[in-house]
Amino acid sequence: MNLTAINFTIQALCEEVTNLEKTNISWQNSTEDELLYEVAFCIFSSQMLYEVAIAAVDRLRGLHLLSNDRIYLLLLDSMYEEMVRGAFEEPLHIAVNGVERMVKLRFRNRLSALLAGTIKNIYGTKSSIREVLKSAQSAQHARELLVNSVVG
């Protein structure tokens, strides 16, 4: 391997690290809706493939079921879990490596219950994900607080 190839490789790696730093989003700069989207994605992705979880959470966001403005109203309605379950009656459109397909969401009753329970735990106490994160003394403590707030 010659010096030119090594320098080229180092430069390419440095650019990649710089680009990764730009995509690292801090929770302090995220809206409550974005934080809720991430929590929902974490719940869903533990049960299914990444692409399916993204499509599922995107559908909920498109139906405004992950909107902080509406969460309190939805909790009062006590129909939130049913609304989430209903969002998945129709198959999800998934595209992976240029191949498109329709996927019927599995475990929709359980996922709806997990998300609704988590939202009740966080927002039912008039708190928010941001408040949970702010109250943490360290990254590990934040993780513990979130794990204790998430159902399942």
Side-chain angles (χ1 to χ4, degrees), residues 94-101:
I94 310 293
V96 181
N97 297 327
V99 178
E100 296 185 21
R101 62 189 172 112

PDB file of all heavy atoms in Angstrom, residues 94-101:
ATOM      1  N   ILE A  94     -43.852  -1.092   2.575  1.00  0.00           N
ATOM      2  CA  ILE A  94     -42.437  -1.195   2.936  1.00  0.00           C
ATOM      3  C   ILE A  94     -41.612  -1.263   1.663  1.00  0.00           C
ATOM      4  O   ILE A  94     -41.962  -1.975   0.733  1.00  0.00           O
ATOM      5  CB  ILE A  94     -42.151  -2.480   3.752  1.00  0.00           C
ATOM      6  CG1 ILE A  94     -43.135  -2.633   4.909  1.00  0.00           C
ATOM      7  CG2 ILE A  94     -40.719  -2.535   4.229  1.00  0.00           C
ATOM      8  CD1 ILE A  94     -43.007  -1.602   5.967  1.00  0.00           C
ATOM      9  N   ALA A  95     -40.486  -0.539   1.642  1.00  0.00           N
ATOM     10  CA  ALA A  95     -39.543  -0.613   0.524  1.00  0.00           C
ATOM     11  C   ALA A  95     -38.159  -0.911   1.096  1.00  0.00           C
ATOM     12  O   ALA A  95     -37.640  -0.156   1.910  1.00  0.00           O
ATOM     13  CB  ALA A  95     -39.522   0.690  -0.251  1.00  0.00           C
ATOM     14  N   VAL A  96     -37.587  -2.040   0.684  1.00  0.00           N
ATOM     15  CA  VAL A  96     -36.258  -2.448   1.130  1.00  0.00           C
ATOM     16  C   VAL A  96     -35.427  -2.804  -0.086  1.00  0.00           C
ATOM     17  O   VAL A  96     -35.819  -3.666  -0.869  1.00  0.00           O
ATOM     18  CB  VAL A  96     -36.329  -3.656   2.092  1.00  0.00           C
ATOM     19  CG1 VAL A  96     -34.946  -4.058   2.559  1.00  0.00           C
ATOM     20  CG2 VAL A  96     -37.230  -3.359   3.278  1.00  0.00           C
ATOM     21  N   ASN A  97     -34.308  -2.115  -0.249  1.00  0.00           N
ATOM     22  CA  ASN A  97     -33.401  -2.370  -1.375  1.00  0.00           C
ATOM     23  C   ASN A  97     -34.135  -2.326  -2.719  1.00  0.00           C
ATOM     24  O   ASN A  97     -33.900  -3.154  -3.592  1.00  0.00           O
ATOM     25  CB  ASN A  97     -32.685  -3.711  -1.209  1.00  0.00           C
ATOM     26  CG  ASN A  97     -31.803  -3.740   0.003  1.00  0.00           C
ATOM     27  OD1 ASN A  97     -31.229  -2.723   0.394  1.00  0.00           O
ATOM     28  ND2 ASN A  97     -31.681  -4.908   0.625  1.00  0.00           N
ATOM     29  N   GLY A  98     -35.029  -1.382  -2.846  1.00  0.00           N
ATOM     30  CA  GLY A  98     -35.748  -1.209  -4.106  1.00  0.00           C
ATOM     31  C   GLY A  98     -36.916  -2.163  -4.309  1.00  0.00           C
ATOM     32  O   GLY A  98     -37.622  -2.080  -5.301  1.00  0.00           O
ATOM     33  N   VAL A  99     -37.130  -3.070  -3.368  1.00  0.00           N
ATOM     34  CA  VAL A  99     -38.231  -4.019  -3.465  1.00  0.00           C
ATOM     35  C   VAL A  99     -39.363  -3.526  -2.557  1.00  0.00           C
ATOM     36  O   VAL A  99     -39.168  -3.329  -1.362  1.00  0.00           O
ATOM     37  CB  VAL A  99     -37.794  -5.437  -3.030  1.00  0.00           C
ATOM     38  CG1 VAL A  99     -38.961  -6.409  -3.075  1.00  0.00           C
ATOM     39  CG2 VAL A  99     -36.646  -5.929  -3.901  1.00  0.00           C
ATOM     40  N   GLU A 100     -40.520  -3.329  -3.162  1.00  0.00           N
ATOM     41  CA  GLU A 100     -41.662  -2.836  -2.405  1.00  0.00           C
ATOM     42  C   GLU A 100     -42.618  -3.974  -2.097  1.00  0.00           C
ATOM     43  O   GLU A 100     -42.797  -4.881  -2.905  1.00  0.00           O
ATOM     44  CB  GLU A 100     -42.382  -1.743  -3.195  1.00  0.00           C
ATOM     45  CG  GLU A 100     -41.512  -0.526  -3.420  1.00  0.00           C
ATOM     46  CD  GLU A 100     -42.247   0.604  -4.103  1.00  0.00           C
ATOM     47  OE1 GLU A 100     -43.500   0.619  -4.056  1.00  0.00           O
ATOM     48  OE2 GLU A 100     -41.569   1.456  -4.680  1.00  0.00           O
ATOM     49  N   ARG A 101     -43.219  -3.900  -0.905  1.00  0.00           N
ATOM     50  CA  ARG A 101     -44.204  -4.908  -0.528  1.00  0.00           C
ATOM     51  C   ARG A 101     -45.134  -4.333   0.529  1.00  0.00           C
ATOM     52  O   ARG A 101     -44.840  -3.313   1.146  1.00  0.00           O
ATOM     53  CB  ARG A 101     -43.535  -6.182  -0.022  1.00  0.00           C
ATOM     54  CG  ARG A 101     -42.694  -5.996   1.214  1.00  0.00           C
ATOM     55  CD  ARG A 101     -41.896  -7.254   1.533  1.00  0.00           C
ATOM     56  NE  ARG A 101     -40.969  -7.002   2.604  1.00  0.00           N
ATOM     57  CZ  ARG A 101     -41.054  -7.535   3.808  1.00  0.00           C
ATOM     58  NH1 ARG A 101     -42.012  -8.379   4.084  1.00  0.00           N
ATOM     59  NH2 ARG A 101     -40.178  -7.243   4.740  1.00  0.00           N
TER      60      ARG A 101
END
